Amino acid sequence: MHPVVKLVSQRLALGLLLLLAASALIFLGTLMLPGDVAQSILGQSATPEALANLREELGLNRPALVRYFDWLFGALQGDLGTALTNGQDIAESIGKRLGNTLFLAFWAAVISVPLAIFLGLLAVRYRDRWPDKLISAVTLASISIPEFLIGYLLIYFVAVQMGWFSSVAMINDSMSLLDKLNAIALPVAVLTLVVLAHMMRMTRAAILNVMQSAYIETAELKGLSTFHVIARHAFPNAIAPIVNVVMLNLAYLVVGVVVIEVVFVYPGMGQYLVDHVAKRDVPVVQACGLIFAAVYILLNMIADIVAILSNPRLRHPK
Amino acid sequence: MKDQLDYMTQSVTSGKMTRREFMGKTAALGISAAVAGSLFTRAVEAAGPVKGGTLKLASIGGGSTDSLDPALAASQVPYHNLNQFGETLVNVTENGTIENRLAESVEASADAKTWTFKIRKGVEFHNGKELTAEDVMRTMERHSNEDSKSGALGIMRGIEGMKVDGDNFIVELGTANADLPYLMADYHLMIQPDGGFDNPAAGVGTGAYMLVADEPGVRHAYKKNPNYWDDTRGHVDEVEIVVINDATARMAALQSGQVQIANRVEPKVAGLLDRAPNLTVHSTAGPGHYVFIMHCDTAPFDNNELRLALKYAINRQEMVDKVLRGYGSVGNDMPINAAYPLFDESIPQREYDPAKAAEHYKKSGHDGSPIILRVSDVAFPGAIDAAQLFQQSANAAGIPLELKREPGDGYWSEVWNAQPFCASYWGGRPVQDQMYSTAYLSTADWNDTRFKREDFDALLLQARGELDEAKRKALYSQMGMLVRDNGGLICPMFNDFIDATSNKVQGWVADPTGDVMSGKWSHKCWLA
């Protein structure tokens, strides 16, 4: 068997095991939270009778283990069940939210990844001169400011004062692609600013590391232009660490943007998960948790595979 | 004087002034009520509601877990949803009176035990079915039967029997209750076809707006119901409720024109927002109040001297000024204020008095160990700040008050109504009887101060059946004094509803009975 195929299948099997463990952990975690879904739904207007009736209807009186395995067997057959709080089909409502989250993450990635790598290359090219310092200063500043503050600043100046973009990034099916892109312009800008520094700094450091090697000196002595040396000779050998950090940031764009979603009122997965945790709606929390875990596992696997493929010594082990 | 009158008439037409304000201000100019009344009517009619357009509300209190089932509504967004598609038998108006909606008339027997609601004819549900008295009874059944999980279950408890007689829906009570129509106005009791038994969350009712899109936690869109029975309501073509829980984002959406109404303006930005040329901030005094509650049956709070010491140790005016920034009024350690009918204005106001507090504290014989007050930001906006102010004013009186911050998540199940001393809020109720029955009757489910007194319970039942208003008022006054001087409630302040609208929104009414014109914004407002 080809080593890469073997590695992928090993990783996939391990990933499934991890998912199972994650689902058990999430279930345990929600059990440990104070209160239950019936109490959360009825809130201040809960009477003991109403609580008992609601618990009975939602099947909360069954033992925790029974509920977990019920859910697990359903999930294995592709049935995620219905939300306890409002009875909506989980797969259907998650599908919409996941679509929105991926839409936002996709456009943020399309802009930020090439930009970060290009800025990283540029910083290496003008190392320790003013372009390098400017790029580092700006990106480090933007990663250091809390994302909600950048969001509020953009909303105040760009949406409220100048009226260029909408402050509410609410998208729905009836909008055209152009309308949608216009609506998500501000959150994409904030997300780009947030993830830029990490990827750009890693690109810069990885390439600088490679630039110390003897073959780079050779390339320079051959008389190649500096940018050519960086892009053609140094960059391929720096791909592995860069891809790792890019994947980490992509995972963040999918699972970690709840603050941005709240600030821009974006109907994504983050807010959806938080709402259901607050109401102790366990089946939905489970489903979201699994999706998030799967995203992490998948992206990490891709990073590892790319790292192997980009390195001939790993590609052809002895 | 003419200029002033013109200005006020303009304010009326642009919706900035209510009838009550107009009458008050014209009286100051020496104009008689009759003349002022006709002036007001003329000013409103001259402008007249404009039909059409899309009216959007940005609201706090929504999540992707929201359901359209009226039985499960507890926060603002579900509340506004119900008020789009649904209607109750009767409404409580902004003046605290009862207005007939799906009931054409309401009649009580002489002993106030049998109530007859005549159901309006020719009203159609959104699914084309005609409204009958049977639908009304089925709705009430769903909120009161044995399997009920309704938030209205508590208020339905006094009902012993219900029946349908032709177009009439008849309610039989175990004990007399002169306030029954107010209970029937509860927002959970939206009339649904067949009571909503087959599909409670369908969003089908008789209201002026029909559901178009239901995306919980994101938005809810409605269009005008072409067969709506009341021509005087429902002026805009489309209505949308946009869920924006973040206060800054909500205000930004209003300022950038994406919505025309935003609720729950934070007191600290209300003044700034009002200065914006195209916006108006509406502050409405209501029955909602922020509280610190002690369990009267748990040591050390089972000692009334200690309770009085803490009541004298709080600086109410300071809290109104600093926590509410003036958008509210001082409380008096009872849950009732001038927003309620039959309120006794002559009850003396309790003031901050460190000397008296110290005296009561000494009398209580408390051992001087720290008194723990549990608090979280979810108790009410600014609860932590208020608790810190309380701590300082109490320490000045020599009372060792200590704060314990609790996590917001789980606060309502683990701390409120469970721990002996904590911060909380009450939204208030339309009438005194309902407020006291909900939280101060010995047997009340939400007796969150564990206030159990037989004399109080007896007064409450007596007042409930008393049809003579003067006598009732006297009874309520006695009850208020009992709670004020013996209860476990420390009520520093009553908070105003603060909403903001674009100046395009006309027909605004200051309605203290619920959030944003008690949910009637879409039925009463129009876009100029």
Side-chain angles (χ1 to χ4, degrees):
Chain A
M1 201 192 290
H2 194 277
V4 173
V5 178
K6 196 174 156 203
L7 178 101
V8 171
S9 41
Q10 269 176 353
R11 281 308 193 85
L12 276 176
L14 197 65
L16 288 177
L17 213 61
L18 274 175
L19 282 181
L20 194 67
S23 79
L25 277 178
I26 297 164
F27 189 78
L28 269 179
T30 49
L31 278 187
M32 281 154 66
L33 290 172
D36 68 1
V37 61
Q39 246 166 348
S40 311
I41 290 176
L42 293 172
Q44 248 197 342
S45 61
T47 60
E49 298 103 298
L51 272 178
N53 287 336
L54 190 58
R55 283 197 181 118
E56 184 63 42
E57 190 186 307
L58 298 175
L60 297 177
N61 296 328
R62 297 175 304 153
L65 265 183
V66 175
R67 275 184 284 149
Y68 176 69
F69 282 107
D70 245 21
W71 171 83
L72 189 65
F73 287 126
L76 286 178
Q77 290 159 20
D79 175 18
L80 292 173
T82 53
L84 296 178
T85 41
N86 56 8
Q88 290 206 338
D89 185 65
I90 294 177
E92 194 180 310
S93 41
I94 281 194
K96 242 187 217 169
R97 295 294 189 114
L98 184 63
N100 288 346
T101 286
L102 293 179
F103 182 73
L104 182 65
F106 173 79
W107 287 105
V110 160
I111 293 173
S112 63
V113 174
L115 188 63
I117 291 174
F118 174 71
L119 288 178
L121 296 175
L122 211 62
V124 174
R125 168 69 181 81
Y126 297 102
R127 176 151 67 113
D128 292 336
R129 285 159 56 194
W130 69 265
D132 178 26
K133 287 182 178 156
L134 183 73
I135 291 169
S136 287
V138 171
T139 53
L140 285 178
S142 74
I143 202 177
S144 310
I145 304 173
E147 58 210 272
F148 69 88
L149 186 63
I150 305 181
Y152 285 156
L153 289 174
L154 281 184
I155 286 179
Y156 182 72
F157 289 107
V158 184
V160 174
Q161 294 294 318
M162 299 189 268
W164 289 353
F165 293 106
S166 126
S167 73
V168 174
M170 204 170 266
I171 60 172
N172 58 53
D173 296 340
S174 58
M175 294 165 82
S176 69
L177 180 66
L178 209 65
D179 284 344
K180 283 186 183 178
L181 289 179
N182 191 42
I184 65 167
L186 292 187
V188 164
V190 177
L191 287 175
T192 302
L193 287 173
V194 170
V195 297
L196 207 54
H198 198 186
M199 293 190 285
M200 170 273 177
R201 295 288 292 181
M202 187 49 103
T203 308
R204 181 179 178 276
I207 294 177
L208 280 182
N209 198 19
V210 176
M211 294 290 276
Q212 317 283 336
S213 319
Y215 73 90
I216 296 291
E217 215 169 318
T218 314
E220 274 168 5
L221 289 175
K222 277 200 301 191
L224 296 178
S225 77
T226 322
F227 208 81
H228 194 78
V229 172
I230 295 171
R232 292 294 304 275
H233 294 254
F235 183 66
N237 282 305
I239 277 184
I242 295 174
V243 166
N244 255 315
V245 97
V246 166
M247 288 302 158
L248 208 61
N249 279 291
L250 290 187
Y252 163 81
L253 287 178
V254 176
V255 310
V257 295
V258 62
V259 175
I260 295 296
E261 286 180 14
V262 170
V263 168
F264 290 101
V265 202
Y266 188 76
M269 287 281 282
Q271 189 56 49
Y272 183 76
L273 174 63
V274 169
D275 284 348
H276 286 86
V277 171
K279 292 278 192 223
R280 314 283 184 261
D281 196 334
V282 180
V284 181
V285 177
Q286 294 270 50
C288 291
L290 278 192
I291 290 173
F292 284 170
V295 166
Y296 255 102
I297 292 170
L298 200 71
L299 288 175
N300 267 315
M301 197 166 76
I302 293 175
D304 285 353
I305 294 169
V306 171
I308 290 169
L309 291 181
S310 72
N311 188 333
R313 275 168 296 186
L314 292 175
R315 210 162 50 207
H316 307 289
K318 278 182 201 155
Chain B
M1 190 177 105
K2 175 142 194 327
D3 287 351
Q4 271 169 295
L5 204 56
D6 281 348
Y7 170 75
M8 281 191 281
T9 327
Q10 261 171 26
S11 299
V12 170
T13 39
S14 63
K16 279 182 190 159
M17 202 183 271
T18 64
R19 183 187 159 80
R20 198 188 277 182
E21 286 167 312
F22 182 79
M23 301 295 271
K25 284 180 182 158
T26 45
L29 289 176
I31 295 174
S32 79
V35 175
S38 70
L39 275 175
F40 178 88
T41 322
R42 227 185 303 155
V44 170
E45 278 172 359
V50 180
K51 303 279 176 189
T54 301
L55 183 59
K56 292 187 183 185
L57 164 79
S59 177
I60 196 176
S64 28
T65 47
D66 289 341
S67 164
L68 290 178
D69 182 353
L72 299 179
S75 55
Q76 287 86 353
V77 169
Y79 174 78
H80 288 298
N81 273 319
L82 299 190
N83 277 297
Q84 304 315 308
F85 68 77
E87 276 180 305
T88 46
L89 287 177
V90 292
N91 264 352
V92 181
T93 67
E94 64 272 18
N95 303 317
T97 55
I98 286 286
E99 149 192 64
N100 296 330
R101 297 306 295 168
L102 292 183
E104 213 167 53
S105 67
V106 182
E107 273 166 44
S109 63
D111 62 357
K113 279 187 175 180
T114 307
W115 288 81
T116 306
F117 295 84
K118 185 165 188 240
I119 305 304
R120 197 175 290 280
K121 274 189 189 161
V123 177
E124 227 177 60
F125 286 110
H126 300 161
N127 62 6
K129 185 186 175 303
E130 198 176 329
L131 168 77
T132 62
E134 196 66 35
D135 294 312
V136 175
M137 185 159 103
R138 294 283 282 165
T139 300
M140 299 308 165
E141 270 173 18
R142 196 169 77 85
H143 291 275
S144 60
N145 68 12
E146 278 178 7
D147 310 327
S148 176
K149 53 189 180 182
S150 172
L153 187 54
I155 62 172
M156 302 294 282
R157 209 168 271 153
I159 297 179
E160 294 224 318
M162 297 183 284
K163 64 178 182 216
V164 168
D165 176 18
D167 290 336
N168 293 332
F169 166 62
I170 299 164
V171 176
E172 310 267 3
L173 299 173
T175 52
N177 189 348
D179 281 339
L180 183 81
Y182 287 92
L183 301 184
M184 289 289 143
D186 186 275
Y187 66 89
H188 295 99
L189 304 178
M190 297 291 175
I191 308 302
Q192 294 175 281
D194 194 35
F197 272 101
D198 28 315
N199 189 357
V204 171
T206 59
Y209 292 94
M210 301 163 47
L211 187 68
V212 177
D214 175 33
E215 299 173 35
V218 184
R219 66 185 196 116
H220 304 269
Y222 296 86
K223 65 167 196 260
K224 180 78 204 285
N225 170 8
N227 301 327
Y228 188 54
W229 59 274
D230 185 352
D231 293 339
T232 62
R233 303 245 173 128
H235 308 299
V236 296
D237 290 336
E238 284 169 36
V239 168
E240 196 170 320
I241 299 164
V242 184
V243 182
I244 309 184
N245 290 310
D246 183 67
T248 313
R250 205 160 57 247
M251 296 312 126
L254 177 69
Q255 284 175 291
S256 60
Q258 285 165 318
V259 299
Q260 291 83 38
I261 310 177
N263 64 2
R264 294 297 154 112
V265 179
E266 291 180 316
K268 62 184 175 213
V269 299
L272 292 170
L273 210 58
D274 205 19
R275 265 184 257 154
N278 53 344
L279 301 178
T280 310
V281 170
H282 306 269
S283 174
T284 311
H289 45 292
Y290 296 162
V291 298
F292 298 106
I293 43 178
M294 308 174 275
H295 284 181
C296 297
D297 62 355
T298 312
F301 309 105
D302 52 354
N303 183 332
N304 196 37
E305 292 295 334
L306 184 79
R307 296 203 293 270
L308 279 173
L310 286 166
K311 286 175 184 175
Y312 279 110
I314 194 164
N315 191 338
R316 294 171 182 77
Q317 191 57 49
E318 187 185 30
M319 292 213 185
V320 171
D321 294 342
K322 291 185 177 164
V323 177
L324 297 178
R325 312 262 172 155
Y327 290 97
S329 53
V330 291
N332 199 14
D333 298 338
M334 46 191 269
I336 305 300
N337 67 352
Y340 285 89
L342 306 180
F343 172 68
D344 181 5
E345 305 267 0
S346 68
I347 295 178
Q349 172 66 45
R350 182 169 282 137
E351 306 281 351
Y352 175 48
D353 190 337
K356 260 193 185 161
E359 190 186 310
H360 283 289
Y361 182 67
K362 211 176 148 208
K363 263 197 235 165
S364 76
H366 186 254
D367 60 6
S369 58
I371 297 171
I372 308 286
L373 170 61
R374 287 165 206 268
V375 65
S376 160
D377 260 330
V378 301
F380 56 84
I384 308 263
D385 300 341
Q388 283 168 345
L389 289 173
F390 187 15
Q391 185 185 24
Q392 287 185 5
S393 60
N395 289 352
I399 301 174
L401 193 62
E402 261 187 33
L403 306 185
K404 183 162 191 293
R405 264 190 92 151
E406 296 281 351
D409 192 81
Y411 190 80
W412 301 112
S413 52
E414 303 294 305
V415 179
W416 174 75
N417 216 0
Q419 295 291 345
F421 192 23
C422 72
S424 177
Y425 77 98
W426 274 99
R429 293 292 184 271
V431 283
Q432 298 197 34
D433 176 70
Q434 208 182 337
M435 187 65 229
Y436 283 130
S437 312
T438 309
Y440 297 89
L441 192 67
S442 297
T443 52
D445 292 314
W446 306 304
N447 191 333
D448 58 6
T449 54
R450 307 286 187 269
F451 180 69
K452 290 169 187 170
R453 284 178 70 108
E454 281 176 15
D455 52 349
F456 179 87
D457 294 354
L459 283 172
L460 182 61
L461 291 183
Q462 194 187 337
R464 192 181 283 172
E466 179 59 68
L467 294 174
D468 181 333
E469 293 210 336
K471 285 183 190 158
R472 252 181 132 194
K473 187 172 172 180
L475 290 171
Y476 282 144
S477 176
Q478 278 182 49
M479 288 157 57
M481 286 303 283
L482 274 177
V483 173
R484 175 183 180 271
D485 294 339
N486 302 284
L489 171 75
I490 302 173
C491 175
M493 52 195 152
F494 283 82
N495 57 301
D496 290 356
F497 289 110
I498 316 174
D499 305 305
T501 62
S502 140
N503 284 348
K504 288 189 195 132
V505 176
Q506 309 276 297
W508 182 272
V509 180
D511 187 334
T513 54
D515 195 55
V516 194
M517 294 176 62
S518 71
K520 306 295 179 296
W521 49 277
S522 62
H523 282 56
K524 290 185 181 173
C525 290
W526 66 89
L527 289 164

